[in-house]
Amino acid sequence: MDTAELEAKVIEFIASKVENIDASTITAASKFEELGLDSMDTVQLLFDAEDAFGVTFDGDEVKNLRTVGDIITYISEHPPEGKAS
């Protein structure tokens, strides 16, 4: 999956998980707090993303994830086992 395709999938995923947010308003630069997510909401979003994208977010690296783009980069750099891009 190329980066543009991954970005579109991640944005659509986030829009499906966050109330009152339209996918067209989300960009890679969108910060979680701008989307109305507090720290607990962000943790839940990451748990859901693990299931949806077949990745495991490293506990030490999670604290550095602040934007939608950070999730996209993380997923692209840590593809599911056997699905390297």
Side-chain angles (χ1 to χ4, degrees), residues 66-85:
R66 306 236 185 275
T67 67
V68 173
D70 292 340
I71 292 177
I72 295 164
T73 299
Y74 189 94
I75 293 170
S76 69
E77 292 176 355
H78 300 85
E81 193 71 25
K83 293 187 179 181
S85 18

Side-chain angles (χ1 to χ4, degrees), residues 4 15 25 29 31-32 35 47 54 60-61 71 76:
T25 65
K31 294 179 180 175
F32 300 137
L35 300 175
F47 280 137
D60 291 332
E61 294 182 42
I71 292 177
S76 69

Side-chain angles (χ1 to χ4, degrees), residues 5 10 22 27 29-30 34 38 41 45 49 56-57 60 63 65-66 68 72-73 78 80 84-85:
E5 188 178 5
V10 170
D22 185 84
T27 68
S30 297
E34 293 171 347
D38 63 20
D41 294 330
L45 179 73
T56 301
F57 290 100
D60 291 332
K63 61 187 167 209
L65 302 177
R66 306 236 185 275
V68 173
I72 295 164
T73 299
H78 300 85
S85 18

Side-chain angles (χ1 to χ4, degrees), residues 7-70:
E7 181 175 336
K9 287 185 182 230
V10 170
I11 287 172
E12 194 59 44
F13 166 78
I14 291 172
S16 75
K17 296 293 180 182
V18 179
E19 290 184 27
N20 302 317
I21 293 286
D22 185 84
S24 67
T25 65
I26 301 172
T27 68
S30 297
K31 294 179 180 175
F32 300 137
E33 58 269 9
E34 293 171 347
L35 300 175
L37 300 174
D38 63 20
S39 58
M40 292 302 292
D41 294 330
T42 301
V43 168
Q44 185 60 54
L45 179 73
L46 294 175
F47 280 137
D48 293 344
E50 287 182 330
D51 292 337
F53 294 97
V55 298
T56 301
F57 290 100
D58 179 88
D60 291 332
E61 294 182 42
V62 164
K63 61 187 167 209
N64 297 319
L65 302 177
R66 306 236 185 275
T67 67
V68 173
D70 292 340

